[in-house]
Amino acid sequence: MSMTRAIFSARRAAGVPVWLPALASVAAIVLGWAVLAVLVDTPRTLPAPWTVARLIWRAAVSGDLWFQTGMTLFRVAASFVLAMGVGAVIGLWLGRSAKADAWLNPILVMTLNIPALVVIVLCYIWIGLNEVAAIMAVAINKIPLVAVIMRDGTRALRPDLDDMARAYHMRPLDRLRHVILPQLAPHFASAARVGIALIWKIVLVVEFLGRSNGVGFKLHMYFQMFDVAQVMAWSLSFVIVMLTIDYVILRPWERRANRWRRDEN
């Protein structure tokens, strides 16, 4: 049994909801922020939590929050699907072919170390200030990370299951579906969780530099006005959205993907 499962089991046995520690940590952060804001007493540089919350509510009521957040989420989703698809295929190929890995590993290392800002600027110059350039810039930054995680996962595939598939003369597609993909599911889920955190941050930079809508655009606009309260309001609102996606979608997916490992213990 893993340490995480042991902790969760102990909490359930003690009657403590698993979400309570997370809620308590968030409350502690907000409380510390409020105390610091009162002590500093400079709303222009450190607005209080209630001031930021009021701005978020005002943007939500006006509808601007939903439109801008929706545009950012569209770019996040499009970049995520493209990066996960291409990166998974490349990682599977490199993990199964030592020759391909020998040829492409230097390129993979190089692309991993190219600053995201350089890729964004080049995409805007080569493709133009449009949605294609924005999504491509984000996906290109994410693909190498997915490829590395999936390559390492492919290398860790159990050889006895491959031998069994060959002994039963399984077709390539059946082997991929029933033998390879179930073993890669935990690595794919990990790549998704790590990648979504990276993608939405890069999307905000992309919007900051060259889009006319989205959360990053709003951050750019209020940065020019030196409006710290609005910058914090828009940043916090999108962080809440991404935390919701993580807890509602990605974490349950990761638990299901790792279920076969827990069953072995």
PDB file of all heavy atoms in Angstrom, residues 119-156:
ATOM      1  N   VAL A 119      10.116  30.547 -28.268  1.00  0.00           N
ATOM      2  CA  VAL A 119       9.188  29.825 -29.146  1.00  0.00           C
ATOM      3  C   VAL A 119       7.965  30.682 -29.457  1.00  0.00           C
ATOM      4  O   VAL A 119       7.501  30.736 -30.603  1.00  0.00           O
ATOM      5  CB  VAL A 119       8.764  28.495 -28.491  1.00  0.00           C
ATOM      6  CG1 VAL A 119       7.732  27.776 -29.351  1.00  0.00           C
ATOM      7  CG2 VAL A 119       9.974  27.601 -28.278  1.00  0.00           C
ATOM      8  N   ILE A 120       7.436  31.365 -28.457  1.00  0.00           N
ATOM      9  CA  ILE A 120       6.261  32.217 -28.660  1.00  0.00           C
ATOM     10  C   ILE A 120       6.552  33.332 -29.650  1.00  0.00           C
ATOM     11  O   ILE A 120       5.787  33.575 -30.596  1.00  0.00           O
ATOM     12  CB  ILE A 120       5.794  32.796 -27.312  1.00  0.00           C
ATOM     13  CG1 ILE A 120       5.308  31.671 -26.390  1.00  0.00           C
ATOM     14  CG2 ILE A 120       4.682  33.822 -27.521  1.00  0.00           C
ATOM     15  CD1 ILE A 120       5.077  32.111 -24.956  1.00  0.00           C
ATOM     16  N   VAL A 121       7.676  34.015 -29.450  1.00  0.00           N
ATOM     17  CA  VAL A 121       8.037  35.127 -30.339  1.00  0.00           C
ATOM     18  C   VAL A 121       8.243  34.638 -31.768  1.00  0.00           C
ATOM     19  O   VAL A 121       7.761  35.255 -32.736  1.00  0.00           O
ATOM     20  CB  VAL A 121       9.295  35.844 -29.808  1.00  0.00           C
ATOM     21  CG1 VAL A 121       9.805  36.851 -30.828  1.00  0.00           C
ATOM     22  CG2 VAL A 121       8.999  36.536 -28.483  1.00  0.00           C
ATOM     23  N   LEU A 122       8.945  33.522 -31.934  1.00  0.00           N
ATOM     24  CA  LEU A 122       9.189  33.000 -33.280  1.00  0.00           C
ATOM     25  C   LEU A 122       7.896  32.580 -33.977  1.00  0.00           C
ATOM     26  O   LEU A 122       7.720  32.819 -35.181  1.00  0.00           O
ATOM     27  CB  LEU A 122      10.166  31.821 -33.214  1.00  0.00           C
ATOM     28  CG  LEU A 122      11.609  32.170 -32.860  1.00  0.00           C
ATOM     29  CD1 LEU A 122      12.455  30.901 -32.763  1.00  0.00           C
ATOM     30  CD2 LEU A 122      12.209  33.119 -33.896  1.00  0.00           C
ATOM     31  N   CYS A 123       6.996  31.957 -33.230  1.00  0.00           N
ATOM     32  CA  CYS A 123       5.713  31.553 -33.830  1.00  0.00           C
ATOM     33  C   CYS A 123       4.915  32.771 -34.268  1.00  0.00           C
ATOM     34  O   CYS A 123       4.290  32.759 -35.338  1.00  0.00           O
ATOM     35  CB  CYS A 123       4.905  30.714 -32.830  1.00  0.00           C
ATOM     36  SG  CYS A 123       5.475  29.014 -32.653  1.00  0.00           S
ATOM     37  N   TYR A 124       4.915  33.819 -33.464  1.00  0.00           N
ATOM     38  CA  TYR A 124       4.206  35.046 -33.847  1.00  0.00           C
ATOM     39  C   TYR A 124       4.839  35.696 -35.078  1.00  0.00           C
ATOM     40  O   TYR A 124       4.145  36.247 -35.942  1.00  0.00           O
ATOM     41  CB  TYR A 124       4.189  36.036 -32.685  1.00  0.00           C
ATOM     42  CG  TYR A 124       3.058  35.819 -31.705  1.00  0.00           C
ATOM     43  CD1 TYR A 124       3.213  36.117 -30.356  1.00  0.00           C
ATOM     44  CD2 TYR A 124       1.828  35.319 -32.122  1.00  0.00           C
ATOM     45  CE1 TYR A 124       2.178  35.924 -29.451  1.00  0.00           C
ATOM     46  CE2 TYR A 124       0.792  35.116 -31.233  1.00  0.00           C
ATOM     47  CZ  TYR A 124       0.964  35.423 -29.903  1.00  0.00           C
ATOM     48  OH  TYR A 124      -0.062  35.237 -29.013  1.00  0.00           O
ATOM     49  N   ILE A 125       6.170  35.623 -35.185  1.00  0.00           N
ATOM     50  CA  ILE A 125       6.857  36.217 -36.341  1.00  0.00           C
ATOM     51  C   ILE A 125       6.619  35.384 -37.595  1.00  0.00           C
ATOM     52  O   ILE A 125       6.330  35.916 -38.667  1.00  0.00           O
ATOM     53  CB  ILE A 125       8.361  36.353 -36.055  1.00  0.00           C
ATOM     54  CG1 ILE A 125       8.614  37.397 -34.961  1.00  0.00           C
ATOM     55  CG2 ILE A 125       9.129  36.728 -37.326  1.00  0.00           C
ATOM     56  CD1 ILE A 125      10.064  37.489 -34.512  1.00  0.00           C
ATOM     57  N   TRP A 126       6.746  34.061 -37.480  1.00  0.00           N
ATOM     58  CA  TRP A 126       6.644  33.191 -38.648  1.00  0.00           C
ATOM     59  C   TRP A 126       5.206  32.955 -39.106  1.00  0.00           C
ATOM     60  O   TRP A 126       4.935  32.872 -40.304  1.00  0.00           O
ATOM     61  CB  TRP A 126       7.305  31.835 -38.343  1.00  0.00           C
ATOM     62  CG  TRP A 126       8.792  31.912 -38.201  1.00  0.00           C
ATOM     63  CD1 TRP A 126       9.620  32.895 -38.684  1.00  0.00           C
ATOM     64  CD2 TRP A 126       9.645  30.980 -37.523  1.00  0.00           C
ATOM     65  NE1 TRP A 126      10.928  32.636 -38.359  1.00  0.00           N
ATOM     66  CE2 TRP A 126      10.974  31.461 -37.647  1.00  0.00           C
ATOM     67  CE3 TRP A 126       9.422  29.793 -36.835  1.00  0.00           C
ATOM     68  CZ2 TRP A 126      12.069  30.791 -37.106  1.00  0.00           C
ATOM     69  CZ3 TRP A 126      10.504  29.123 -36.285  1.00  0.00           C
ATOM     70  CH2 TRP A 126      11.813  29.612 -36.428  1.00  0.00           C
ATOM     71  N   ILE A 127       4.277  32.813 -38.158  1.00  0.00           N
ATOM     72  CA  ILE A 127       2.895  32.471 -38.511  1.00  0.00           C
ATOM     73  C   ILE A 127       1.981  33.688 -38.497  1.00  0.00           C
ATOM     74  O   ILE A 127       1.068  33.809 -39.315  1.00  0.00           O
ATOM     75  CB  ILE A 127       2.354  31.387 -37.540  1.00  0.00           C
ATOM     76  CG1 ILE A 127       3.259  30.149 -37.572  1.00  0.00           C
ATOM     77  CG2 ILE A 127       0.923  30.998 -37.910  1.00  0.00           C
ATOM     78  CD1 ILE A 127       2.871  29.073 -36.565  1.00  0.00           C
ATOM     79  N   GLY A 128       2.246  34.615 -37.588  1.00  0.00           N
ATOM     80  CA  GLY A 128       1.409  35.805 -37.479  1.00  0.00           C
ATOM     81  C   GLY A 128       0.729  35.874 -36.127  1.00  0.00           C
ATOM     82  O   GLY A 128       0.711  34.910 -35.365  1.00  0.00           O
ATOM     83  N   LEU A 129       0.136  37.019 -35.843  1.00  0.00           N
ATOM     84  CA  LEU A 129      -0.562  37.215 -34.567  1.00  0.00           C
ATOM     85  C   LEU A 129      -1.974  36.656 -34.684  1.00  0.00           C
ATOM     86  O   LEU A 129      -2.952  37.409 -34.822  1.00  0.00           O
ATOM     87  CB  LEU A 129      -0.588  38.702 -34.199  1.00  0.00           C
ATOM     88  CG  LEU A 129       0.771  39.330 -33.875  1.00  0.00           C
ATOM     89  CD1 LEU A 129       0.639  40.837 -33.699  1.00  0.00           C
ATOM     90  CD2 LEU A 129       1.357  38.705 -32.615  1.00  0.00           C
ATOM     91  N   ASN A 130      -2.086  35.346 -34.658  1.00  0.00           N
ATOM     92  CA  ASN A 130      -3.385  34.697 -34.800  1.00  0.00           C
ATOM     93  C   ASN A 130      -3.479  33.491 -33.866  1.00  0.00           C
ATOM     94  O   ASN A 130      -2.522  33.161 -33.160  1.00  0.00           O
ATOM     95  CB  ASN A 130      -3.621  34.281 -36.259  1.00  0.00           C
ATOM     96  CG  ASN A 130      -2.456  33.474 -36.826  1.00  0.00           C
ATOM     97  OD1 ASN A 130      -1.987  32.518 -36.206  1.00  0.00           O
ATOM     98  ND2 ASN A 130      -1.965  33.865 -37.999  1.00  0.00           N
ATOM     99  N   GLU A 131      -4.645  32.835 -33.897  1.00  0.00           N
ATOM    100  CA  GLU A 131      -4.888  31.715 -32.988  1.00  0.00           C
ATOM    101  C   GLU A 131      -3.987  30.522 -33.297  1.00  0.00           C
ATOM    102  O   GLU A 131      -3.562  29.797 -32.389  1.00  0.00           O
ATOM    103  CB  GLU A 131      -6.359  31.286 -33.056  1.00  0.00           C
ATOM    104  CG  GLU A 131      -7.327  32.300 -32.486  1.00  0.00           C
ATOM    105  CD  GLU A 131      -7.127  32.523 -30.993  1.00  0.00           C
ATOM    106  OE1 GLU A 131      -6.590  31.627 -30.301  1.00  0.00           O
ATOM    107  OE2 GLU A 131      -7.498  33.604 -30.512  1.00  0.00           O
ATOM    108  N   VAL A 132      -3.708  30.296 -34.582  1.00  0.00           N
ATOM    109  CA  VAL A 132      -2.849  29.171 -34.952  1.00  0.00           C
ATOM    110  C   VAL A 132      -1.472  29.321 -34.323  1.00  0.00           C
ATOM    111  O   VAL A 132      -0.917  28.374 -33.748  1.00  0.00           O
ATOM    112  CB  VAL A 132      -2.733  29.055 -36.486  1.00  0.00           C
ATOM    113  CG1 VAL A 132      -1.738  27.959 -36.869  1.00  0.00           C
ATOM    114  CG2 VAL A 132      -4.103  28.749 -37.096  1.00  0.00           C
ATOM    115  N   ALA A 133      -0.915  30.518 -34.415  1.00  0.00           N
ATOM    116  CA  ALA A 133       0.405  30.763 -33.829  1.00  0.00           C
ATOM    117  C   ALA A 133       0.369  30.605 -32.309  1.00  0.00           C
ATOM    118  O   ALA A 133       1.289  30.035 -31.710  1.00  0.00           O
ATOM    119  CB  ALA A 133       0.884  32.164 -34.193  1.00  0.00           C
ATOM    120  N   ALA A 134      -0.699  31.089 -31.679  1.00  0.00           N
ATOM    121  CA  ALA A 134      -0.805  30.997 -30.223  1.00  0.00           C
ATOM    122  C   ALA A 134      -0.855  29.545 -29.767  1.00  0.00           C
ATOM    123  O   ALA A 134      -0.132  29.139 -28.843  1.00  0.00           O
ATOM    124  CB  ALA A 134      -2.054  31.746 -29.746  1.00  0.00           C
ATOM    125  N   ILE A 135      -1.688  28.744 -30.415  1.00  0.00           N
ATOM    126  CA  ILE A 135      -1.832  27.344 -30.017  1.00  0.00           C
ATOM    127  C   ILE A 135      -0.577  26.550 -30.349  1.00  0.00           C
ATOM    128  O   ILE A 135      -0.119  25.712 -29.551  1.00  0.00           O
ATOM    129  CB  ILE A 135      -3.073  26.743 -30.702  1.00  0.00           C
ATOM    130  CG1 ILE A 135      -4.340  27.402 -30.139  1.00  0.00           C
ATOM    131  CG2 ILE A 135      -3.123  25.222 -30.510  1.00  0.00           C
ATOM    132  CD1 ILE A 135      -5.601  27.055 -30.889  1.00  0.00           C
ATOM    133  N   MET A 136       0.017  26.800 -31.506  1.00  0.00           N
ATOM    134  CA  MET A 136       1.244  26.098 -31.878  1.00  0.00           C
ATOM    135  C   MET A 136       2.380  26.421 -30.918  1.00  0.00           C
ATOM    136  O   MET A 136       3.160  25.538 -30.545  1.00  0.00           O
ATOM    137  CB  MET A 136       1.639  26.467 -33.300  1.00  0.00           C
ATOM    138  CG  MET A 136       0.775  25.848 -34.377  1.00  0.00           C
ATOM    139  SD  MET A 136       0.881  24.039 -34.392  1.00  0.00           S
ATOM    140  CE  MET A 136       2.610  23.810 -34.780  1.00  0.00           C
ATOM    141  N   ALA A 137       2.485  27.673 -30.508  1.00  0.00           N
ATOM    142  CA  ALA A 137       3.560  28.072 -29.594  1.00  0.00           C
ATOM    143  C   ALA A 137       3.456  27.318 -28.276  1.00  0.00           C
ATOM    144  O   ALA A 137       4.462  26.832 -27.728  1.00  0.00           O
ATOM    145  CB  ALA A 137       3.514  29.579 -29.350  1.00  0.00           C
ATOM    146  N   VAL A 138       2.239  27.196 -27.765  1.00  0.00           N
ATOM    147  CA  VAL A 138       2.046  26.487 -26.497  1.00  0.00           C
ATOM    148  C   VAL A 138       2.319  25.003 -26.669  1.00  0.00           C
ATOM    149  O   VAL A 138       3.006  24.374 -25.853  1.00  0.00           O
ATOM    150  CB  VAL A 138       0.629  26.723 -25.963  1.00  0.00           C
ATOM    151  CG1 VAL A 138       0.429  25.985 -24.648  1.00  0.00           C
ATOM    152  CG2 VAL A 138       0.369  28.209 -25.777  1.00  0.00           C
ATOM    153  N   ALA A 139       1.784  24.405 -27.731  1.00  0.00           N
ATOM    154  CA  ALA A 139       1.949  22.968 -27.958  1.00  0.00           C
ATOM    155  C   ALA A 139       3.413  22.599 -28.157  1.00  0.00           C
ATOM    156  O   ALA A 139       3.886  21.579 -27.626  1.00  0.00           O
ATOM    157  CB  ALA A 139       1.126  22.540 -29.172  1.00  0.00           C
ATOM    158  N   ILE A 140       4.149  23.409 -28.906  1.00  0.00           N
ATOM    159  CA  ILE A 140       5.570  23.122 -29.143  1.00  0.00           C
ATOM    160  C   ILE A 140       6.358  23.125 -27.830  1.00  0.00           C
ATOM    161  O   ILE A 140       7.280  22.330 -27.645  1.00  0.00           O
ATOM    162  CB  ILE A 140       6.150  24.138 -30.145  1.00  0.00           C
ATOM    163  CG1 ILE A 140       5.570  23.887 -31.539  1.00  0.00           C
ATOM    164  CG2 ILE A 140       7.677  24.052 -30.200  1.00  0.00           C
ATOM    165  CD1 ILE A 140       5.924  24.946 -32.562  1.00  0.00           C
ATOM    166  N   ASN A 141       5.988  24.005 -26.930  1.00  0.00           N
ATOM    167  CA  ASN A 141       6.654  24.039 -25.626  1.00  0.00           C
ATOM    168  C   ASN A 141       6.333  22.820 -24.776  1.00  0.00           C
ATOM    169  O   ASN A 141       7.125  22.422 -23.922  1.00  0.00           O
ATOM    170  CB  ASN A 141       6.249  25.307 -24.871  1.00  0.00           C
ATOM    171  CG  ASN A 141       7.061  26.519 -25.274  1.00  0.00           C
ATOM    172  OD1 ASN A 141       8.263  26.572 -25.071  1.00  0.00           O
ATOM    173  ND2 ASN A 141       6.408  27.495 -25.881  1.00  0.00           N
ATOM    174  N   LYS A 142       5.182  22.220 -25.000  1.00  0.00           N
ATOM    175  CA  LYS A 142       4.718  21.112 -24.163  1.00  0.00           C
ATOM    176  C   LYS A 142       5.082  19.739 -24.725  1.00  0.00           C
ATOM    177  O   LYS A 142       5.284  18.783 -23.967  1.00  0.00           O
ATOM    178  CB  LYS A 142       3.194  21.219 -24.019  1.00  0.00           C
ATOM    179  CG  LYS A 142       2.510  20.066 -23.328  1.00  0.00           C
ATOM    180  CD  LYS A 142       2.835  20.022 -21.856  1.00  0.00           C
ATOM    181  CE  LYS A 142       1.953  19.013 -21.120  1.00  0.00           C
ATOM    182  NZ  LYS A 142       2.097  17.651 -21.638  1.00  0.00           N
ATOM    183  N   ILE A 143       5.178  19.590 -26.050  1.00  0.00           N
ATOM    184  CA  ILE A 143       5.391  18.289 -26.686  1.00  0.00           C
ATOM    185  C   ILE A 143       6.643  17.579 -26.165  1.00  0.00           C
ATOM    186  O   ILE A 143       6.593  16.376 -25.860  1.00  0.00           O
ATOM    187  CB  ILE A 143       5.430  18.439 -28.217  1.00  0.00           C
ATOM    188  CG1 ILE A 143       4.015  18.695 -28.742  1.00  0.00           C
ATOM    189  CG2 ILE A 143       6.021  17.192 -28.890  1.00  0.00           C
ATOM    190  CD1 ILE A 143       3.966  19.056 -30.214  1.00  0.00           C
ATOM    191  N   PRO A 144       7.806  18.233 -26.047  1.00  0.00           N
ATOM    192  CA  PRO A 144       9.001  17.513 -25.567  1.00  0.00           C
ATOM    193  C   PRO A 144       8.828  16.918 -24.173  1.00  0.00           C
ATOM    194  O   PRO A 144       9.313  15.813 -23.905  1.00  0.00           O
ATOM    195  CB  PRO A 144      10.086  18.595 -25.581  1.00  0.00           C
ATOM    196  CG  PRO A 144       9.609  19.606 -26.552  1.00  0.00           C
ATOM    197  CD  PRO A 144       8.130  19.619 -26.430  1.00  0.00           C
ATOM    198  N   LEU A 145       8.141  17.620 -23.288  1.00  0.00           N
ATOM    199  CA  LEU A 145       7.930  17.105 -21.936  1.00  0.00           C
ATOM    200  C   LEU A 145       7.088  15.833 -21.958  1.00  0.00           C
ATOM    201  O   LEU A 145       7.408  14.842 -21.296  1.00  0.00           O
ATOM    202  CB  LEU A 145       7.262  18.168 -21.078  1.00  0.00           C
ATOM    203  CG  LEU A 145       6.926  17.763 -19.639  1.00  0.00           C
ATOM    204  CD1 LEU A 145       8.191  17.437 -18.860  1.00  0.00           C
ATOM    205  CD2 LEU A 145       6.142  18.876 -18.940  1.00  0.00           C
ATOM    206  N   VAL A 146       6.014  15.850 -22.731  1.00  0.00           N
ATOM    207  CA  VAL A 146       5.164  14.661 -22.854  1.00  0.00           C
ATOM    208  C   VAL A 146       5.956  13.509 -23.463  1.00  0.00           C
ATOM    209  O   VAL A 146       5.859  12.362 -23.020  1.00  0.00           O
ATOM    210  CB  VAL A 146       3.922  14.968 -23.711  1.00  0.00           C
ATOM    211  CG1 VAL A 146       3.060  13.717 -23.883  1.00  0.00           C
ATOM    212  CG2 VAL A 146       3.093  16.070 -23.073  1.00  0.00           C
ATOM    213  N   ALA A 147       6.741  13.812 -24.486  1.00  0.00           N
ATOM    214  CA  ALA A 147       7.516  12.772 -25.165  1.00  0.00           C
ATOM    215  C   ALA A 147       8.503  12.101 -24.204  1.00  0.00           C
ATOM    216  O   ALA A 147       8.651  10.878 -24.218  1.00  0.00           O
ATOM    217  CB  ALA A 147       8.263  13.369 -26.358  1.00  0.00           C
ATOM    218  N   VAL A 148       9.159  12.875 -23.362  1.00  0.00           N
ATOM    219  CA  VAL A 148      10.124  12.313 -22.409  1.00  0.00           C
ATOM    220  C   VAL A 148       9.424  11.413 -21.390  1.00  0.00           C
ATOM    221  O   VAL A 148       9.878  10.305 -21.101  1.00  0.00           O
ATOM    222  CB  VAL A 148      10.892  13.449 -21.698  1.00  0.00           C
ATOM    223  CG1 VAL A 148      11.687  12.900 -20.520  1.00  0.00           C
ATOM    224  CG2 VAL A 148      11.836  14.141 -22.675  1.00  0.00           C
ATOM    225  N   ILE A 149       8.300  11.887 -20.851  1.00  0.00           N
ATOM    226  CA  ILE A 149       7.572  11.083 -19.857  1.00  0.00           C
ATOM    227  C   ILE A 149       7.067   9.785 -20.476  1.00  0.00           C
ATOM    228  O   ILE A 149       7.189   8.697 -19.888  1.00  0.00           O
ATOM    229  CB  ILE A 149       6.407  11.893 -19.262  1.00  0.00           C
ATOM    230  CG1 ILE A 149       6.945  13.083 -18.457  1.00  0.00           C
ATOM    231  CG2 ILE A 149       5.533  11.005 -18.377  1.00  0.00           C
ATOM    232  CD1 ILE A 149       5.872  14.009 -17.932  1.00  0.00           C
ATOM    233  N   MET A 150       6.517   9.864 -21.680  1.00  0.00           N
ATOM    234  CA  MET A 150       5.987   8.668 -22.330  1.00  0.00           C
ATOM    235  C   MET A 150       7.113   7.743 -22.788  1.00  0.00           C
ATOM    236  O   MET A 150       6.966   6.518 -22.770  1.00  0.00           O
ATOM    237  CB  MET A 150       5.112   9.074 -23.514  1.00  0.00           C
ATOM    238  CG  MET A 150       3.869   9.859 -23.128  1.00  0.00           C
ATOM    239  SD  MET A 150       2.810   8.997 -21.939  1.00  0.00           S
ATOM    240  CE  MET A 150       2.245   7.624 -22.946  1.00  0.00           C
ATOM    241  N   ARG A 151       8.250   8.291 -23.194  1.00  0.00           N
ATOM    242  CA  ARG A 151       9.392   7.454 -23.564  1.00  0.00           C
ATOM    243  C   ARG A 151       9.886   6.654 -22.363  1.00  0.00           C
ATOM    244  O   ARG A 151      10.122   5.445 -22.468  1.00  0.00           O
ATOM    245  CB  ARG A 151      10.530   8.314 -24.115  1.00  0.00           C
ATOM    246  CG  ARG A 151      11.772   7.526 -24.516  1.00  0.00           C
ATOM    247  CD  ARG A 151      12.942   8.434 -24.820  1.00  0.00           C
ATOM    248  NE  ARG A 151      13.367   9.181 -23.650  1.00  0.00           N
ATOM    249  CZ  ARG A 151      14.324  10.110 -23.663  1.00  0.00           C
ATOM    250  NH1 ARG A 151      14.948  10.393 -24.785  1.00  0.00           N
ATOM    251  NH2 ARG A 151      14.658  10.743 -22.549  1.00  0.00           N
ATOM    252  N   ASP A 152      10.021   7.326 -21.222  1.00  0.00           N
ATOM    253  CA  ASP A 152      10.465   6.627 -20.016  1.00  0.00           C
ATOM    254  C   ASP A 152       9.443   5.580 -19.579  1.00  0.00           C
ATOM    255  O   ASP A 152       9.810   4.503 -19.099  1.00  0.00           O
ATOM    256  CB  ASP A 152      10.716   7.629 -18.896  1.00  0.00           C
ATOM    257  CG  ASP A 152      11.874   8.569 -19.201  1.00  0.00           C
ATOM    258  OD1 ASP A 152      12.670   8.234 -20.105  1.00  0.00           O
ATOM    259  OD2 ASP A 152      11.971   9.634 -18.552  1.00  0.00           O
ATOM    260  N   GLY A 153       8.162   5.901 -19.738  1.00  0.00           N
ATOM    261  CA  GLY A 153       7.138   4.926 -19.405  1.00  0.00           C
ATOM    262  C   GLY A 153       7.166   3.720 -20.325  1.00  0.00           C
ATOM    263  O   GLY A 153       6.982   2.578 -19.885  1.00  0.00           O
ATOM    264  N   THR A 154       7.417   3.959 -21.604  1.00  0.00           N
ATOM    265  CA  THR A 154       7.496   2.862 -22.565  1.00  0.00           C
ATOM    266  C   THR A 154       8.677   1.955 -22.263  1.00  0.00           C
ATOM    267  O   THR A 154       8.588   0.728 -22.408  1.00  0.00           O
ATOM    268  CB  THR A 154       7.608   3.420 -23.996  1.00  0.00           C
ATOM    269  OG1 THR A 154       6.486   4.287 -24.250  1.00  0.00           O
ATOM    270  CG2 THR A 154       7.612   2.307 -25.032  1.00  0.00           C
ATOM    271  N   ARG A 155       9.782   2.535 -21.839  1.00  0.00           N
ATOM    272  CA  ARG A 155      10.949   1.719 -21.484  1.00  0.00           C
ATOM    273  C   ARG A 155      10.687   0.830 -20.275  1.00  0.00           C
ATOM    274  O   ARG A 155      11.356  -0.188 -20.094  1.00  0.00           O
ATOM    275  CB  ARG A 155      12.142   2.633 -21.198  1.00  0.00           C
ATOM    276  CG  ARG A 155      12.717   3.312 -22.435  1.00  0.00           C
ATOM    277  CD  ARG A 155      13.776   4.315 -22.031  1.00  0.00           C
ATOM    278  NE  ARG A 155      14.434   4.917 -23.185  1.00  0.00           N
ATOM    279  CZ  ARG A 155      15.305   5.921 -23.117  1.00  0.00           C
ATOM    280  NH1 ARG A 155      15.623   6.431 -21.936  1.00  0.00           N
ATOM    281  NH2 ARG A 155      15.855   6.410 -24.202  1.00  0.00           N
ATOM    282  N   ALA A 156       9.725   1.231 -19.438  1.00  0.00           N
ATOM    283  CA  ALA A 156       9.429   0.469 -18.224  1.00  0.00           C
ATOM    284  C   ALA A 156       8.344  -0.584 -18.440  1.00  0.00           C
ATOM    285  O   ALA A 156       7.898  -1.200 -17.466  1.00  0.00           O
ATOM    286  CB  ALA A 156       9.007   1.422 -17.107  1.00  0.00           C
TER     287      ALA A 156
END
